[in-house]
Amino acid sequence: MLGIDAKTHELAFGHTKANAKLAENLFRKATGEGRESVIAAIFWLKARGRWK
């Protein structure tokens, strides 16, 4: 309808989709169990929770 090529759209928004998928995966790991969950939770809190 707008005349936007699918390739252009993917280049413009592909990184946003990838970031969302990675954040979803990291959150799932951080709220899980085991050693990976501790590492993921620490990373998440340092990056998003302003932990130092």
Side-chain angles (χ1 to χ4, degrees):
M1 241 170 114
L2 297 175
I4 299 173
D5 189 337
K7 291 179 186 175
T8 303
H9 184 266
E10 192 60 32
L11 287 173
F13 298 104
H15 69 282
T16 303
K17 289 180 187 178
N19 286 344
K21 191 69 173 171
L22 286 169
E24 179 183 319
N25 189 37
L26 178 62
F27 183 79
R28 186 178 47 76
K29 285 185 184 287
T31 56
E33 295 182 18
R35 186 171 192 276
E36 280 187 338
S37 66
V38 173
I39 295 167
I42 290 169
F43 178 80
W44 185 277
L45 288 170
K46 283 184 176 181
R48 303 285 298 179
R50 298 188 175 133
W51 275 24
K52 295 184 182 210

